[in-house]
Each structure stands twice: as C-alpha cells, then as structure tokens.
C-alpha cells in the first residue's frame, strides 16, 4: 500500500484531476518550496501552483527518497512509466477502496460504496471550504474557470461532528488555522 499512498494522498490533499496527476512530472513537485506545479491539461486555469500541507509534504518526501531516478513521472507505474487514468481508477483507487472497506468492516462502520479520483478531488474542495479558503482562491486551487462550478462542488458540507476537526488536522498534519495560512 505504501507505493499507492503518494498518489492517493496527492488526490485528496492537492486536488488534481486524474489527468493532471498522470501528467505530473517529478520536477513539478517542488518539495523545497512545498508546492506542486500542476500541468496544463484542460485550460489555462488548469496550470496552477498548489501549496503542499505538512502531511502531504512528508509523504512526498519519503516517496522521493525511495525513487532512484529523477525527472520522470511523479507517480510512475511499477516499470517506471507514466500512469494512465484507467490504471489509477482500476488499480490504485480500487485497491485502496478495498483495503479501506476491510478496515471499516472490522470497526463495524459503513463501507465506501463508490470511490473515484474525482471523489477525492471533491474531498479536497470540501477540505478547502472547511479550513476557510475563500471561494475565489478555491477556484484557482481547483483549476476552474467557472465560479458556478466551483461553488457547486465547494459548498458540499463535510460532517464535522464528534472528533472530525481533530481527525482533519491529523490528516493535514497541521491545525486548520495553519492549513488556511498555507
């Protein structure tokens, strides 16, 4: 599962489209500056710089240390080639969903019925809303040109009851206030 974590964490904590994730090169991950330069895939708006929260930074640093070559795909396949969206969906996402459902079943919690790369992108949009990122900035970070689209996705509410704030802060690797600043 450790080989899948960098790509999955990037989908959740940086919000790229699956095509952007697949086209992202190692050089697009600026770990020193803690930012990701998303490649242009859809429109001019898709080319953007997304800051990296501390938890994602740690995951990407560990993955970078494990990688033998530089300058290729940021999230290569086992043979070092570029990922394809279908591979992300059928292999990475499907196996992560399966493992998550095993853990949820052990805890007698509801299982994940449907999970796609876009589901994880919408989760990123919801996280932006929860930490208080203004809609205009969220539009930029999501690579949208249409504010209506951003608001439709952005306004989906997360269940922040119970220990949800603490869990979110653990996932981000920082407080909500620090995430907002990032």
């Amino acid at each position: 599962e450790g080989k899948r974590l960098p790509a999955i964490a990037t989908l959740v904590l940086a919000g790229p489209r699956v095509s952007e994730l697949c086209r992202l090169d190692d050089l697009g991950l600026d770990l020193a500056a803690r930012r990701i330069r998303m490649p242009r895939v859809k429109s001019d708006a898709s080319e953007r710089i997304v800051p990296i929260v501390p938890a994602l930074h740690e995951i990407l640093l560990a993955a970078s240390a494990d990688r033998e070559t530089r300058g290729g795909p940021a999230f290569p396949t086992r043979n070092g080639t570029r990922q394809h969206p279908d591979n992300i969906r059928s292999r990475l996402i499907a196996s992560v969903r399966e493992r998550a459902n095993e853990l949820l079943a052990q805890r007698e919690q509801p299982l994940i019925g449907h999970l796609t790369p876009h589901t994880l992108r919408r989760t990123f949009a919801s996280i932006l809303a929860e930490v208080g990122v203004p809609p205009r900035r969220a539009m930029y970070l999501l690579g949208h040109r249409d504010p209506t689209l951003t608001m439709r996705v952005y306004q989906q509410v997360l269940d922040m009851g119970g220990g949800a704030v603490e869990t979110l802060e653990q996932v981000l690797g920082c407080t909500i206030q620090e995430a907002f600043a990032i």
Side-chain angles (χ1 to χ4, degrees), residues 1-16 21 36 38 52-53 55-60 75 92-93 96 120-121 123-124 127 171-172:
E1 296 302 325
K3 296 278 185 198
R4 294 178 175 97
L5 181 60
I8 298 298
T10 300
L11 286 168
V12 173
L13 298 174
L21 184 84
I36 299 173
M38 295 293 175
I52 300 174
V53 294
L56 181 57
H57 186 252
E58 287 181 31
I59 291 166
L60 295 176
F75 305 104
L92 267 67
I93 300 286
V96 166
L120 301 178
R121 180 170 159 77
T123 300
F124 174 70
I127 290 170
V171 167
L172 296 172

Side-chain angles (χ1 to χ4, degrees), residues 58-122:
E58 287 181 31
I59 291 166
L60 295 176
L61 271 177
S64 177
D66 288 346
R67 208 168 309 131
E68 295 174 15
T69 59
R70 299 279 181 254
F75 305 104
T77 63
R78 277 182 280 186
N79 17 341
T81 60
R82 193 170 296 285
Q83 291 281 359
H84 187 273
D86 291 337
N87 190 48
I88 298 288
R89 287 183 200 98
S90 65
R91 296 217 172 133
L92 267 67
I93 300 286
S95 67
V96 166
R97 180 181 159 266
E98 186 178 307
R99 179 67 179 129
N101 280 339
E102 288 171 11
L103 296 170
L104 289 168
Q106 289 173 8
R107 296 179 190 159
E108 298 180 3
Q109 292 179 315
L111 303 182
I112 300 169
H114 183 72
L115 184 65
T116 67
H118 201 73
T119 306
L120 301 178
R121 180 170 159 77
R122 283 194 311 270

Side-chain angles (χ1 to χ4, degrees), residues 45 135-140 142-155:
R136 195 158 186 68
R137 178 75 174 143
M139 189 173 102
Y140 169 79
L142 290 163
H144 289 164
R145 289 187 305 178
D146 179 9
T148 309
L149 173 64
T150 303
M151 291 309 294
R152 237 188 5 245
V153 174
Y154 183 77
Q155 289 181 336

